[in-house]
Amino acid sequence: MHVNGQPHPYTPDLTLHQLLRELNINPERVAIAVNDDFYAGGQAPDRQLDERDVVEIVKVIGGG
Amino acid sequence: MHVNGQPHPYTPDLTLHQLLRELNINPERVAIAVNDDFYAGGQAPDRQLDERDVVEIVKVIGGG
């Protein structure tokens, strides 16, 4: 699978919240995209991940 | 409409690329979410926006 553009080891039954714990990221503080699904800050469900998933851990940036 | 959590004036026929120009943001350098659709960096289409759309301009943050 890929996380933020980098290949990342996939472990069977990996879920989104487990992945965030692995990366020691607090789900409350970031927005997440899994493929083209977007979960705003703190709303990412503990979704079952798949070997081909592309995960982006994103932060909202200001824009004027 | 809302942009990054703030109310933002909606102008009829506003498109995503026009909004980015308004905010002088380079579409190539950011990822965008419109409601729960996610467009990775530089892939946001010039999508017609709607008054009820929620747009998040996001940056990928490292995590691994």
Side-chain angles (χ1 to χ4, degrees), chain A residues 16 20 25 27 30-34 37-41 44 55-58, chain B residues 38:
Chain A
L16 186 50
L20 294 178
I25 284 181
V30 293
I32 311 272
V34 178
D37 297 324
F38 180 73
Y39 305 110
V55 178
E56 303 262 348
I57 298 164
V58 294
Chain B
F38 180 72

Side-chain angles (χ1 to χ4, degrees), chain B residues 38-59:
Chain B
F38 180 72
Y39 305 109
Q43 294 172 22
D46 196 10
R47 159 180 177 159
Q48 179 68 46
L49 294 176
D50 177 272
E51 193 148 13
R52 287 152 306 177
D53 279 343
V54 172
V55 178
E56 303 263 347
I57 299 164
V58 295
K59 192 164 61 67

Side-chain angles (χ1 to χ4, degrees), chain B residues 3-58:
Chain B
V3 178
N4 289 348
Q6 310 289 338
H8 189 87
Y10 174 74
T11 45
D13 304 327
L14 182 66
T15 68
L16 186 50
H17 286 187
Q18 275 168 350
L19 173 67
L20 294 178
R21 272 195 297 275
E22 255 180 45
L23 301 172
N24 64 64
I25 285 181
N26 177 349
E28 295 309 316
R29 304 228 3 258
V30 294
I32 311 271
V34 178
N35 306 322
D36 55 10
D37 297 324
F38 180 72
Y39 305 109
Q43 294 172 22
D46 196 10
R47 159 180 177 159
Q48 179 68 46
L49 294 176
D50 177 272
E51 193 148 13
R52 287 152 306 177
D53 279 343
V54 172
V55 178
E56 303 263 347
I57 299 164
V58 295

